[in-house]
Amino acid sequence: MHAGVDVHLARVLSFVAGTAVISVLHRRWTFRSSGVRGAAAWMAALSAVTVVVVLLGHGLALAALPSVVPDGWVVPAAWVASQGLGTTVTFLVLRGAVLR
C-alpha cells in the first residue's frame, strides 16, 4: 500500500504470496513429498475458497472497524481479522478433509 497499490489488491497480493510460501514449505519440508496425484488441484480449490472468504471478511472489516478502531489502525486490524478468518476456514477444511 505504501507503493500506491489499492488496499484490496494489496490484500490479494499478500494472500497469494503467503499461500505460495506456505504451500512450498508444507509440501517439501513437513511431508517431504515430491507430489501427490490431485493435490495441486485440491490445494488450488481450497485456496480459491479461502481467498474469497478472506476478501469478503476484509471488505466487511474495513466497513465495520472505523467505528471501533482508531483511523491509523483500521487497515492493519482488517488485515488481521481477515487473515484469522481465512486461517480458521483453512484449518477446518483441512481438519475435516485431510486430518480425519
Side-chain angles (χ1 to χ4, degrees):
M1 289 177 36
H2 292 288
V5 176
D6 176 67
V7 67
H8 300 294
L9 179 58
R11 186 64 188 104
V12 170
L13 294 174
S14 73
F15 180 84
V16 170
T19 301
V21 169
I22 276 296
S23 295
V24 169
L25 295 177
H26 192 43
R27 275 184 72 149
R28 297 288 180 196
W29 292 329
T30 303
F31 295 112
R32 298 189 187 272
S33 172
S34 61
V36 177
R37 174 171 272 170
W42 193 86
M43 190 63 188
L46 175 59
S47 294
V49 169
T50 306
V51 77
V52 169
V53 168
V54 164
L55 290 176
L56 289 174
H58 190 247
L60 290 172
L62 285 173
L65 288 175
S67 62
V68 294
V69 175
D71 285 340
W73 290 96
V74 171
V75 172
W79 189 93
V80 169
S82 65
Q83 188 64 36
L85 182 62
T87 300
T88 301
V89 167
T90 300
F91 172 78
L92 292 173
V93 170
L94 287 174
R95 184 164 187 240
V98 177
L99 306 173
R100 306 184 238 169

